Amino acid sequence: MPTKVAIFIGSISDEVLVTPCAEVLRKLEIPFRFTVSSAHRTPQRTEALVDELEKQGCQVFICAAGMAAHLAGAVAARTCKPVIGIPLAASPLGGMDALLATMQMPPGFPVATMALDKAGARNAAWMAAQILALNDPALGERIKESRENFKTDVKKAGTDLERRWGFQNG
């Protein structure tokens, strides 16, 4: 099955923060590729990967980087496919530098910017899934099912908490 989503991280040290993105894509049965490429250290690799993946049918690019965080912008400059950015808190500025670098794009080269770190990684996958579901009703159903499971999990957690604290229903 062709790759539908590409996940690029700027450094292997970012893997632990972005793994939740890959886990969500895997759970939703979305074919993806997870790799390292740097906008600054390997710009030719980044360009070549975007070109190669587009030719293979990739529909969405997810890019995670910290500090200067130009990876998502470099990819957005290379493709007209949706680019989702995950800013990472990798500097003494606590991720503010990465957040601003990811979201402050010039007109015509947008990057949909998620929250920092693992929360942003998860939502990047969900956003990619929603984009793909526009043309994949079965994926749309998997997303709906997952959301129902979230509701069930919250209700169960509430019931369990109330029971532990001695509260009765009603």
Side-chain angles (χ1 to χ4, degrees):
M1 178 155 286
T3 299
K4 294 292 183 186
V5 176
I7 306 169
F8 294 172
I9 54 177
S11 170
I12 193 62
S13 63
D14 301 332
E15 180 184 9
V16 67
L17 295 173
V18 184
T19 293
C21 180
E23 291 169 345
V24 170
L25 293 173
R26 184 170 283 155
K27 177 184 175 192
L28 293 172
E29 302 172 26
I30 297 171
F32 66 94
R33 181 165 172 189
F34 192 4
T35 193
V36 179
S37 194
S38 170
H40 302 107
R41 292 181 295 251
T42 60
Q44 295 86 2
R45 173 177 164 72
T46 302
E47 288 184 13
L49 281 168
V50 171
D51 293 347
E52 171 193 335
L53 286 160
E54 273 195 343
K55 287 176 187 167
Q56 294 174 3
C58 186
Q59 296 297 304
V60 180
F61 292 87
I62 297 173
C63 301
M67 298 177 73
H70 293 127
L71 183 56
V75 171
R78 190 74 188 175
T79 184
C80 291
K81 302 293 185 190
V83 177
I84 302 169
I86 308 166
L88 302 176
S91 78
L93 297 176
M96 185 58 75
D97 48 350
L99 176 64
L100 293 174
T102 304
M103 64 188 278
Q104 294 292 342
M105 294 298 299
F109 299 88
V111 172
T113 306
M114 300 294 112
L116 293 171
D117 299 335
K118 289 182 178 183
R122 285 183 191 93
N123 271 342
W126 288 107
M127 177 62 71
Q130 287 179 234
I131 291 167
L132 294 171
L134 292 171
N135 295 307
D136 185 344
L139 176 56
E141 288 304 313
R142 292 195 300 276
I143 293 169
K144 286 179 187 176
E145 181 181 316
S146 292
R147 287 186 173 189
E148 288 303 316
N149 290 338
F150 291 147
K151 291 177 190 178
T152 300
D153 293 345
V154 170
K155 290 175 187 174
K156 182 181 181 321
T159 301
D160 291 349
L161 178 65
E162 290 174 16
R163 188 175 304 119
R164 282 197 313 273
W165 283 91
F167 296 102
Q168 302 299 317
N169 291 337

